[in-house]
Amino acid sequence: MKIVRLIFLIAHLGILFLLLGTLLNAYVPPKVYPWFNLLSLGFPVLIIAYVVLTVFWVFNWKKRAIVFIALGFLFVNPVKRWVNYSSENREASDLKIISLNAKGGVLGIKNIEDYINAQNPDIVLMQEHVRDYNFEGLGKGKGDPIISIFSKYKIIDQKELIESNSETNNAYANQTDIEIKGNTYRFINVYLQPFKFEKNMVKLKGNSDEDEQKVKDIVKRLIPTFKMHQEQVAAVRKGIDESPYPVILVGDFNSVPNSYEYYHLGKGLKDAFVESGRGSATSFHDYKFPIRIDYVFTSQSIQPLSYKVDRSVRISDHYPVIATFKLKK
């Protein structure tokens, strides 16, 4: 039994150090050391293993359980970025938005249109929209084939922050200044460089040689993309930092919580899910593994009232994200 406990202790300490590595994404950019960003992908598995081993020490009446419980508080906020249970806010909202990666409308343009129209949002931000859409009462802003914005309110100005310029750079971002009830707000719609994985590329089959090669191929795609994201994040941050207006940052970051992209795009902003979300924030459902890559962030002056990942529909490989806000008078 002592040997088993020793093995568990070593494993627990190893998991702790890996989890601490995910926190370093707030400080270490991918171009310096991309492996911390790689760790963020495994955060759900790591934190579950950490909790299970902590419970093991508790039931074995070991003092080390106290140490692991205390250290576990370091990961409360990182966990809330995946799973959260905010109290319900019944305050009347001033603004309702929907964010959706539409996957090019391959699951039906009319399905998307019917869904959006039934929700009656004030503003819709789409990624991978590709096709033309007709939403009731919403005017379309200038856009490109990948990202677009539709608004009930007057669009004052628009500007590209990231523009795809080659076959290898497929990231997009733009800022749209919109006048809402006498005040101007900057909406930034983001679609960071995709990894372009297909299911067969990531599904392991139990063949050691074939699976080993698949893992190597996955890492070869991940690391360069992380480094591209660093440059793209810097371009988006410029639109945020130079904004004279409150900002609502929305989009498909193609990055999970606790990643470099999450920490640096969200710096100084509120994560609407952490502020007002309930349940799981997992938004990409094409894989069985829990993945949150769709986000809504706001300036401090904007109060998120609700955040919902709508799992009742499958109109894309992403679930729609619906958020409501109280705007500063």
Side-chain angles (χ1 to χ4, degrees):
M1 190 62 182
K2 286 184 178 181
I3 295 176
V4 172
R5 288 174 179 168
L6 178 61
I7 293 172
F8 281 4
L9 178 60
I10 293 171
H12 207 169
L13 289 171
I15 291 168
L16 172 62
F17 282 110
L18 292 176
L19 286 170
L20 290 172
T22 66
L23 302 183
L24 292 177
N25 283 314
Y27 312 101
V28 182
K31 287 187 178 181
V32 173
Y33 193 76
W35 300 99
F36 291 138
N37 220 24
L38 194 64
L39 284 176
S40 65
L41 295 171
F43 182 87
V45 174
L46 291 172
I47 197 66
I48 290 171
Y50 186 90
V51 170
V52 169
L53 287 171
T54 301
V55 171
F56 172 81
W57 299 125
V58 169
F59 278 99
N60 278 271
W61 296 96
K62 294 296 180 180
K63 292 181 180 179
R64 66 194 64 164
I66 299 173
V67 176
F68 283 116
I69 290 172
L71 291 171
F73 282 101
L74 291 172
F75 308 109
V76 170
N77 284 333
V79 168
K80 289 174 68 176
R81 296 164 190 159
W82 292 87
V83 181
N84 192 26
Y85 291 95
S86 300
S87 58
E88 187 174 0
N89 192 327
R90 297 184 180 276
E91 191 173 357
S93 65
D94 297 318
L95 180 70
K96 180 180 181 179
I97 72 169
I98 294 178
S99 176
L100 174 66
N101 181 314
K103 197 184 181 181
V106 296
L107 298 186
I109 293 175
K110 189 174 187 305
N111 292 335
I112 293 174
E113 289 177 338
D114 290 346
Y115 175 81
I116 297 292
N117 290 333
Q119 297 300 318
N120 190 30
D122 297 305
I123 293 174
V124 175
L125 300 104
M126 299 182 71
Q127 306 86 38
E128 288 194 74
H129 72 98
V130 182
R131 316 290 177 85
D132 289 327
Y133 296 88
N134 182 25
F135 300 131
E136 297 172 2
L138 300 178
K140 186 177 185 296
K142 292 185 297 182
D144 49 57
I146 299 298
I147 58 176
S148 60
I149 187 168
F150 302 81
S151 173
K152 281 185 179 179
Y153 298 102
K154 181 181 178 182
I155 294 176
I156 298 173
D157 187 42
Q158 287 191 278
K159 177 184 176 182
E160 297 292 330
L161 296 175
I162 300 175
E163 191 170 354
S164 179
N165 53 26
S166 71
E167 291 184 2
T168 56
N169 178 11
N170 300 117
Y172 294 81
N174 64 30
Q175 65 184 40
T176 305
D177 297 336
I178 299 178
E179 183 180 329
I180 303 175
K181 300 175 182 178
N183 294 312
T184 303
Y185 298 86
R186 175 163 293 178
F187 291 80
I188 298 180
N189 193 5
V190 174
Y191 178 71
L192 294 188
Q193 181 72 20
F195 294 101
K196 298 182 179 179
F197 284 127
E198 300 293 338
K199 281 186 178 181
N200 64 325
M201 297 169 63
V202 298
K203 188 175 182 180
L204 303 182
K205 297 182 178 180
N207 182 308
S208 58
D209 292 335
E210 186 177 345
D211 289 349
E212 182 181 352
Q213 186 57 49
K214 279 192 174 185
V215 171
K216 289 180 180 178
D217 292 340
I218 290 169
V219 172
K220 285 180 181 178
R221 280 179 178 261
L222 291 172
I223 300 302
T225 305
F226 290 153
K227 294 178 180 179
M228 293 178 70
H229 282 180
Q230 181 179 337
E231 297 177 357
Q232 294 159 8
V233 166
V236 175
R237 279 305 318 183
K238 188 174 181 181
I240 298 170
D241 296 336
E242 295 181 357
S243 176
Y245 315 117
V247 170
I248 297 180
L249 170 67
V250 176
D252 176 359
F253 293 1
N254 279 306
S255 306
V256 297
N258 313 314
S259 62
Y260 173 88
E261 297 87 337
Y262 178 93
Y263 279 114
H264 290 267
L265 283 174
K267 185 178 180 181
L269 304 175
K270 297 177 182 177
D271 182 338
F273 175 73
V274 173
E275 296 289 322
S276 60
R278 308 178 75 187
S280 170
T282 296
S283 53
F284 182 73
H285 60 77
D286 218 22
Y287 302 152
K288 294 180 180 180
F289 189 82
I291 301 178
R292 179 194 181 192
I293 55 177
D294 299 286
Y295 300 89
V296 178
F297 286 92
T298 73
S299 292
Q300 298 298 323
S301 61
I302 300 173
Q303 180 187 354
L305 298 180
S306 68
Y307 183 107
K308 177 184 179 182
V309 179
D310 192 349
R311 296 182 177 82
S312 67
V313 293
R314 293 207 173 194
I315 51 180
S316 168
D317 55 354
H318 293 241
Y319 292 120
V321 172
I322 306 173
T324 62
F325 309 92
K326 189 75 175 178
L327 302 178
K328 187 177 181 181
K329 301 298 183 182

